[in-house]
Amino acid sequence: MRSVRLRGSLALLVAAFIWGTTFVAQSVGMEGIGPFTYGAARYVVAVPVVFLLWLFFAPKRRAAKAAGTYRPGFKAGALVGVILFLGTTSQQVGMQYTTVGKTAFITCLYLVLVPLAAVFFGSRIRPLHWGGAVLALSGLYLLSMKDGFSLSYGDAIMVGSSLLWTMHILCVGRFASFVDAVELSLAQLFVCACASLALAFLFEQPTVAGIEGAATAILYAGIMSSGVAFTLQIVGQQYAEPALAAVIMSLESVFGALSGAILLGESMSAAELSGCALMLAGMLLAQLAGVWGMKRPRTEGENGTN
């Protein structure tokens, strides 16, 4: 069990690094094309990548069918794909009006919102959850509030995007443990590709030249973020403890801020840096509530994966 959970944690760590650095690719990729075109291109790239993974795992899937343990993931993936499309699209639009570093931290508010929202699935909200929420919201104020109590346009979109990411993580956590993880990932990416293509042709004018100019950013986001990292998330959430999984994924915000500073030369004021620190502290505090409140680890054969 320990080795399995370790592999799950490593999968989530790699996913967090990829997502953090992808914020730079998203920002750079929109220099010559619109957000819907960029989103469509990245998902069109991602679908064949995950399809190859689906073919690669065909023997394992046949064995599961023979054992009677196979559960298809396409139907659940279609539902999760709608939420993922809304989350990634709103994030992509909002990035036009704010920085990579702020995007990374505001997006990661889901790490506070997930344990709070999980109450609808029967989870218990602990005092540390509330403490984490207060710290995170205080950090958000320092990071994003300008000219009194008002969010900038881009930051407000990112807050909405974070709510959608909360829904996405809860849905993935609910389905990933009993359906085929690769099929779930493939279905959600296919839904995102189709919906993004529709918006791109309805509201923008995609050009071959524009897409070629953003090719490097599109390929990185499509292959690494949309293809590899989302699949790693689903696999990782199958095996890592939920609270630990969220702590690991919170590193996405750190990787995002660092990549924005190193690759794009972005900087933050003292107040904004303090806001980032408070948000990170709030995220970790909210997750510690889950770590300290967890039941004893299940042993092999106790209604779990062995």
Side-chain angles (χ1 to χ4, degrees), residues 65-141:
K65 289 179 179 179
T69 59
Y70 167 75
R71 298 291 183 274
F74 292 119
K75 186 180 294 186
L79 171 63
V80 174
V82 173
I83 302 171
L84 178 62
F85 163 72
L86 294 173
T88 55
T89 300
S90 59
Q91 182 187 78
Q92 197 67 45
V93 171
M95 283 195 72
Q96 297 176 107
Y97 309 103
T98 190
T99 65
V100 167
K102 292 171 71 173
T103 294
F105 274 91
I106 296 174
T107 298
C108 283
L109 272 176
Y110 64 74
L111 292 160
V112 175
L113 298 174
V114 164
L116 296 180
V119 69
F120 295 107
F121 295 98
S123 296
R124 175 184 170 190
I125 299 180
R126 302 176 183 277
L128 286 181
H129 287 147
W130 294 115
V134 170
L135 282 176
L137 290 174
S138 300
L140 178 63
Y141 179 86

Side-chain angles (χ1 to χ4, degrees), residues 184-230:
L184 191 155
S185 181
L186 180 60
Q188 72 170 358
L189 294 174
F190 182 77
V191 168
C192 288
C194 292
S196 297
L197 280 169
L199 288 183
F201 284 104
L202 279 173
F203 299 107
E204 296 172 353
Q205 296 180 330
T207 64
V208 174
I211 294 173
E212 287 179 346
T216 301
I218 289 170
L219 289 173
Y220 186 82
I223 295 173
M224 298 304 296
S225 179
S226 300
V228 176
F230 280 126

Side-chain angles (χ1 to χ4, degrees), residues 5 7 9 12 16 20 24 43 52 65 119 133 171 175 189 199 215 258 265 282 285 295 297:
R5 287 176 179 171
R7 288 198 297 270
S9 297
L12 291 171
V24 172
Y43 287 121
L52 291 176
K65 289 179 179 179
V119 69
C171 288
F175 293 126
L189 294 174
L199 288 183
L258 288 175
L285 186 62
K295 298 177 180 178

